[in-house]
Amino acid sequence: MRHDSRFGTLVVGVECLLVIGVLTPWALSTSVRDNPGLLTFFLYGIPSEFIVALVPHEPAVLYMATLHSPLTVAVVAGAGTLVAEIVNWQLLSSVAATSVLDRVLRTRPVARVGTLFERAPFSSLWIAGLVPVVPFLPVRVLAVTRGYPRSRFLVAAVTSRALRFYLLGIAASAVQFPVEGTIIVLVMLVLLVTIPSAYRFLQVTRVPPGTERPVCEPSR
């Protein structure tokens, strides 16, 4: 019997370590805070696009677009997204045949997009990646559990998000989005989106001890 009830806690724990690893140099180094480089931005993008993000990507995109061209920002952020989604795919694939993802598949957000994903999987992934208010986790889980090709998934996930970052970068560079505004957006997203999403993910993936079993196991 596999003890996959720890999956949610493991995901959030690993992401916390990633966030700490990226933000520690920023907190300790004045030069990094005053002029964050593209490497820091790239590394920040990995936990931002993890299965459940603990740090929002958009505020960093808005800020970096005032220092670099929108195209550069989109390419670097897209590269971070690619690394994150490769890891996401592997993590979700490792528990695809267990009761953990079975519980996720039964949640309302996944059920809502299930029919649409069956009809147009690439379009569903692309729209979810492009539109910030559309959650990406449901279509990500469906892509893994329904056997959608990983290469197509990565293309949809990276190109859609890169376009979103590019458009955000154009807007930020055009209006010279202030640092204060970036901080306000960051705090609002963490409080209204990031923390509630992480909490729901932990609740859904938490399986009482002794009840884990593969989804395909016949009931008795």
Coordinates of all heavy atoms in Angstrom, one line a residue, residues 108-121 124 139 142 146:
R108 N -14.9 20.2 -7.9 CA -15.7 21.0 -8.8 C -15.0 21.7 -9.9 O -15.4 21.6 -11.1 CB -16.6 22.0 -8.0 CG -17.6 22.8 -8.8 CD -18.5 23.6 -8.0 NE -19.2 22.9 -6.9 CZ -19.9 23.4 -6.0 NH1 -20.0 24.7 -5.9 NH2 -20.5 22.6 -5.1
P109 N -13.9 22.4 -9.7 CA -13.1 23.0 -10.8 C -12.7 22.0 -11.9 O -12.8 22.4 -13.1 CB -11.9 23.6 -10.1 CG -12.3 23.8 -8.7 CD -13.2 22.6 -8.4
V110 N -12.3 20.8 -11.5 CA -11.9 19.9 -12.5 C -13.1 19.4 -13.3 O -13.1 19.2 -14.5 CB -11.1 18.7 -11.9 CG1 -10.7 17.7 -12.9 CG2 -9.8 19.2 -11.2
A111 N -14.2 19.1 -12.6 CA -15.4 18.6 -13.2 C -15.9 19.6 -14.2 O -16.4 19.3 -15.3 CB -16.4 18.3 -12.2
R112 N -15.8 20.9 -13.9 CA -16.3 22.0 -14.8 C -15.6 22.0 -16.2 O -16.2 22.2 -17.2 CB -16.1 23.3 -14.1 CG -17.2 23.6 -13.0 CD -16.9 24.9 -12.3 NE -17.9 25.2 -11.3 CZ -17.8 26.2 -10.5 NH1 -16.8 27.1 -10.6 NH2 -18.7 26.4 -9.6
V113 N -14.3 21.7 -16.1 CA -13.5 21.8 -17.4 C -13.3 20.5 -18.0 O -12.7 20.4 -19.1 CB -12.1 22.5 -17.1 CG1 -12.3 23.9 -16.6 CG2 -11.3 21.6 -16.2
G114 N -13.8 19.4 -17.4 CA -13.6 18.1 -17.9 C -14.1 17.9 -19.3 O -13.4 17.4 -20.2
T115 N -15.4 18.3 -19.5 CA -16.0 18.1 -20.8 C -15.3 19.0 -21.9 O -15.1 18.5 -23.0 CB -17.5 18.5 -20.8 OG1 -18.1 17.7 -19.8 CG2 -18.2 18.3 -22.1
L116 N -15.0 20.2 -21.6 CA -14.3 21.1 -22.5 C -12.9 20.5 -22.9 O -12.5 20.6 -24.0 CB -14.1 22.5 -21.9 CG -13.4 23.5 -22.8 CD1 -14.1 23.7 -24.1 CD2 -13.3 24.8 -22.0
F117 N -12.2 20.0 -21.9 CA -10.9 19.4 -22.1 C -11.0 18.2 -23.1 O -10.2 18.0 -24.0 CB -10.2 18.9 -20.8 CG -8.9 18.4 -21.0 CD1 -7.8 19.2 -21.1 CD2 -8.7 17.0 -21.1 CE1 -6.5 18.7 -21.3 CE2 -7.4 16.5 -21.3 CZ -6.3 17.3 -21.4
E118 N -12.0 17.4 -22.9 CA -12.2 16.2 -23.8 C -12.4 16.6 -25.2 O -12.0 16.0 -26.2 CB -13.4 15.4 -23.3 CG -13.2 14.7 -22.0 CD -12.2 13.5 -22.1 OE1 -11.8 13.1 -23.2 OE2 -11.7 13.1 -21.0
R119 N -13.1 17.8 -25.4 CA -13.4 18.2 -26.8 C -12.2 19.0 -27.4 O -12.0 18.8 -28.6 CB -14.7 19.1 -26.7 CG -15.9 18.4 -26.3 CD -17.1 19.4 -26.3 NE -18.3 18.8 -25.9 CZ -19.5 19.5 -25.7 NH1 -19.5 20.8 -25.9 NH2 -20.6 18.8 -25.4
A120 N -11.6 19.8 -26.6 CA -10.5 20.6 -27.2 C -9.4 20.7 -26.1 O -9.3 21.8 -25.5 CB -11.0 22.0 -27.6
P121 N -8.6 19.7 -25.9 CA -7.6 19.7 -24.9 C -6.5 20.8 -25.0 O -6.2 21.5 -24.1 CB -6.9 18.3 -24.9 CG -7.3 17.8 -26.3 CD -8.6 18.4 -26.7
S124 N -8.1 24.2 -24.3 CA -8.4 24.3 -22.9 C -7.1 24.7 -22.1 O -7.1 25.6 -21.3 CB -8.9 23.1 -22.3 OG -10.1 22.7 -23.0
V139 N -6.8 21.7 -15.6 CA -6.4 21.2 -16.9 C -5.1 20.5 -16.9 O -4.8 19.6 -17.6 CB -6.4 22.3 -18.0 CG1 -7.8 22.8 -18.3 CG2 -5.5 23.5 -17.5
L142 N -5.9 17.0 -15.6 CA -6.6 16.3 -16.7 C -5.6 15.8 -17.7 O -5.7 14.7 -18.3 CB -7.7 17.2 -17.3 CG -8.9 17.4 -16.4 CD1 -9.8 18.4 -17.0 CD2 -9.7 16.0 -16.3
R146 N -5.4 11.9 -18.3 CA -6.1 11.4 -19.5 C -5.1 11.0 -20.6 O -5.5 10.7 -21.7 CB -7.0 12.6 -20.1 CG -8.1 13.0 -19.1 CD -9.1 12.0 -18.8 NE -10.0 12.3 -17.7 CZ -11.0 13.1 -17.8 NH1 -11.3 13.7 -19.0 NH2 -11.8 13.3 -16.8

